[in-house]
Amino acid sequence: MLIEQVTLLVTSIILILLGTFSIFASKNLIKSIMSYQVAVFGVNLSLFSSSIPFTGMQRLLGDTFVFIAIVVGAAVEVVGLAIVITVYRKFKTLNPSEIRRLLH
Amino acid sequence: MYSEIITLILCAGLIMSSVLGLSSKKVSTTLISLFYSSILLGIILTVFGDALLGLLHMVTYAGALSVMLLSVILITGQSDLSLNSGNLIKIVGGILIAFTALASVFVFSSSGNVSVFPQDISLQLLSFLWQFRPWDLLIIIMLFMSSMLVLANLFSKGD
């Protein structure tokens, strides 16, 4: 079980780093939200992998954390999509640097 | 031994689909890759004994949020996908119907015996909870399916 847990943890770290880097590197707000989704995948996987060795109530506690992370991540993404639509209606673009230029 | 190989394959697929999606220039390609990433992560959660979490993850991310991202992409015109392309609507609708049907079969066929790597106490508690959840989960799946079909129908009216 240790090898599988380490595999899941390494995968989650890679996903978190990949998502965080891509949030700042992407030139499209929709792609930034997709990158956030990848980072949330990594967080969910790390929470889940940390609860694998346990049993009983401790395992259920870890599963509850993953459940809350899934729901909160989805809710935050939906709010981000609503903000993206509002920004697009106002500025007619989704490029962050161009939006910043249009603000000033 | 088999469990380690399965875990490695699933994790490699998850990383590859995420990297391919985020490195792609097209937003539609990113969306499709994220769809597969969501399904792979749901499979990982299911394989390690948490079928409820895996199903919730797949229904939430691969089902609802993918359709919502697709609708935002179509509204903002960020992709080469067109509102008038009837084939795309048919493909997306077919995938959604197949996915929800698969989830329904999965819910009714699994009464706690879905884990490949059985956990002792948590599996017993999960199976106890699982026996009382199929009808609620089926209602949730039907709600998701109807909302997705309404959304697809909304876009197909632009023809």
Side-chain angles (χ1 to χ4, degrees), chain B residues 46 51-59 98-114 126-127 129-142 144:
Chain B
T46 306
L52 190 63
L53 275 182
L55 186 66
L56 177 78
H57 194 277
M58 281 194 273
V59 166
F99 173 70
T100 47
L102 189 69
S104 306
V105 171
F106 179 71
V107 166
F108 277 103
S109 63
S110 62
S111 298
N113 299 321
V114 290
L126 185 68
S127 63
L129 291 173
W130 193 254
Q131 286 173 355
F132 292 97
R133 302 318 292 171
W135 287 106
D136 294 341
L137 280 173
L138 185 71
I139 291 170
I140 293 172
I141 287 170
M142 285 170 67
F144 271 119

Side-chain angles (χ1 to χ4, degrees), chain A residues 21-77:
Chain A
F21 172 74
S22 184
I23 284 174
F24 296 110
S26 60
K27 299 286 184 188
N28 193 331
L29 285 181
I30 296 178
K31 214 159 183 182
S32 297
I33 290 181
M34 290 175 175
S35 311
Y36 164 77
Q37 187 173 339
V38 171
V40 168
F41 286 172
V43 171
N44 293 344
L45 198 59
S46 66
L47 281 172
F48 179 73
S49 64
S50 61
S51 73
I52 283 178
F54 300 108
T55 56
M57 289 305 292
Q58 290 174 322
R59 175 72 186 260
L60 279 180
L61 187 65
D63 294 348
T64 310
F65 278 131
V66 180
F67 179 83
I68 292 171
I70 288 174
V71 174
V72 171
V76 169
E77 193 171 336

